[in-house]
Amino acid sequence: MRPAYRSDIDGLRAIAVLLVVAFHAFPTSIRGGFVGVDVFFVISGFLITSIICQAQCGDGFSYRTFYARRINRIFPALTLVLITCAMAGWFLLFPIDYRDLGKSIGFGAAFLSNLSLLHDAGYFETAAELNPLLHLWSLGVEEQFYLLWPPVLLLAWRWKHGPLIAALAVLIASFVANIALTPAHALAAFYLPVTRFWELMTGCLLAIATVAGPGRDLAAVTWLAPLRATFLRRQRILRSAGAWLGLLLLGVGAVLISSDRGFPGWWAVLPVLGAALLIAAGPAPWVSRVLLGNRAMVYVGLISYPLYLWHWPLLAAIRIVRFGEEPPPLMKAIAILLAVALAHLSYRVVERPFRFRPNRTKTATAFAALAVTGLIGAGIYAAGGFPSRFSPEVQAITGDLMGQSRVAYRGGTCFFETVTHFEKECDDDAPAGTPRIFLWGDSHAAHLYPGLRELQRHYPSFRISQYNTTACPPIFGFSSAKSPSCQANNEIARERLRALRPDTLIMVARQWRDYDWSGRDPNVDDAAIRATLDEVRAMGIRRIVVVGMFPSWRTPPRRILAQSYRALAAGLISRTEIPQRDGPPHLDTSAAAGNERLREFFTELGVEFISPTPTFCDGERCLLSVPGTDGQPVVFDGSHLTAAASIFFVRERAREILGK
């Protein structure tokens, strides 16, 4: 037995998917559109729980039937999208990106994308807009819910108020976890199922309250009888008001919520409550009948699932072919129209035959097809993205430069990207009297370590100490939600500075004034920098060197170089036309001007200042590859030096660094 069809819920699906698509296409205009996913969660919780409750009130719930329906509903369209991405990636993606796509396909097919994305999240990860399967995280949350909730609900069914109590308990526990985790670990709160289940449970509670059957719905709760009687007398007005209020909450959420507000947290209550009110209002109010239940909205709702699957890979593809640059509005509009067309075809040709004319053979085929697709993704990952598709030059440029650099930076031991504290002293052993260089700062300090280590081979009379934490400038007392271990790690650096009193202290930050995410007055930052320098000098450290900002690329040089080599292989350009330098729009030119301001500031404070600009740039054009190498890019992402570039920079500026 299935719940009665409600066209208004398909209309609500339409609102959800249109919000998500609008946000993904125009993120600066529809800043809160991602709340559409939260609306989907409420709808899923309501419908799935309604199915279970009505089955229990009828012939009894069957796990086999339930999961067969989930497979027929979800697997076919997902398989089609994953296979299409695998095929398109062969032609569009370089090896390291194709390898990562294979991993995304494997975890997407296993409905573990949310956990995979959380595990891999880091300071150096690929920009979200270039990950074709980023959006599958929400499917992971839903499928994990589908596995865990039915047995809990059926177990609770044994008691009179069991379903209500179970739903409330899960909702409250999940919501508390969400509120507790969001401020300090927003990424975990965003992806983890335990902090998202309360949104699904809101829909579940709504279903239990209305369709759980005699003795288990709200009608069985005696102390609610007066409220129920009042509602029945005025239900027309109350349902209409609830529908309008729900619509208003969705609109307010889409306008006020943004990715920098700490989400989900308390903000998620707006779209969740809005969706719940619209569902609770039922199909009768004008909002439900006319706004949500009209044919256009119902049509979009019917294709909402394949539209959700198709739209993001298409938007990611046009960003990839444009080297990560934001496409013009017309191009994005065309991509959305193509997504609608593909969604329509997927719904008619793929989804409907499996979903509405099911049998065991189709279910087994859908399951096997998705499993094989997942194995294909795992094969792509194991093969490293099939680098043999490209020339040796392109392979060298597009290899795993990030992984190599992390090792060279001593990631995880003396440079931390996660909430970790230094567990050992990161100091070279040195005989008494041997000069020591102390490298202190964020990831832009860490990327100098390979160069210093190489320089040490030529000048073995100095030793290195390294204390680096991502998103953590060398300023005592600095704290940031983006780098929770920053303050503690800087305290450790302070103790080591006091104990070692190095001959040279090298301080590096990606930017000094109004550092990333600090949100403080620049004058406060300046005062903190002065106080830090005063304290360092009071320790007896006389030589302080500050390294300025490095060139920042909007388009990673490896992509520019790889495209040039592909053009060379196609005979479109000659080898002499492969660019050695590039500038705007691929390059952010603000670093050069920023370095001049920093030079003035630190010089006034009696600190030696090294600007990287002359080493890498000539006017508004900067090096793409490291001179004297086989085309190694200067950075592996937007601004972090490869090991080869680190060695090049330190070699070029050795005298200033060593003070000779």
Side-chain angles (χ1 to χ4, degrees), residues 11 153 370 399:
L153 179 58
L370 187 60

Side-chain angles (χ1 to χ4, degrees), residues 38-194:
D38 305 87
V39 177
F40 276 128
F41 285 162
V42 178
I43 295 172
S44 294
F46 176 76
L47 292 179
I48 294 306
T49 305
S50 296
I51 290 171
I52 298 172
C53 290
Q54 292 197 2
Q56 280 293 90
C57 293
D59 298 330
F61 177 79
S62 165
Y63 282 104
R64 175 181 292 181
T65 301
F66 177 80
Y67 288 114
R69 285 175 175 168
R70 293 299 93 207
I71 290 171
N72 291 329
R73 169 79 168 94
I74 294 168
F75 284 29
L78 177 60
T79 301
L80 177 62
V81 171
L82 294 180
I83 287 293
T84 303
C85 287
M87 295 172 63
W90 179 274
F91 300 100
L92 294 178
L93 298 178
F94 294 117
I96 189 69
D97 301 315
Y98 195 44
R99 181 203 69 179
D100 292 343
L101 175 64
K103 183 178 181 179
S104 296
I105 290 172
F107 279 100
F111 298 100
L112 295 172
S113 290
N114 58 323
L115 303 181
S116 173
L117 287 166
L118 178 60
H119 178 269
D120 293 340
Y123 191 58
F124 300 123
E125 295 307 316
T126 302
E129 64 269 15
L130 301 181
N131 182 344
L133 297 175
L134 179 75
H135 63 321
L136 296 189
W137 72 268
S138 63
L139 288 188
V141 172
E142 287 198 355
E143 289 303 312
Q144 290 149 28
F145 164 77
Y146 294 155
L147 289 174
L148 296 174
W149 176 237
V152 171
L153 179 58
L154 294 179
L155 178 63
W157 201 269
R158 300 178 180 182
W159 295 276
K160 181 178 180 180
H161 298 308
L164 279 172
I165 294 171
L168 276 172
V170 175
L171 187 152
I172 292 170
S174 175
F175 186 73
V176 169
N178 156 56
I179 296 302
L181 204 58
T182 297
H185 305 284
L187 206 61
F190 191 88
Y191 285 127
L192 283 176
V194 294

Side-chain angles (χ1 to χ4, degrees), residues 336-356:
I336 292 172
L337 290 176
L338 179 58
V340 172
L342 290 171
H344 175 80
L345 289 174
S346 300
Y347 177 72
R348 293 291 181 184
V349 178
V350 177
E351 183 177 331
R352 284 183 62 88
F354 280 87
R355 183 178 174 189
F356 297 111

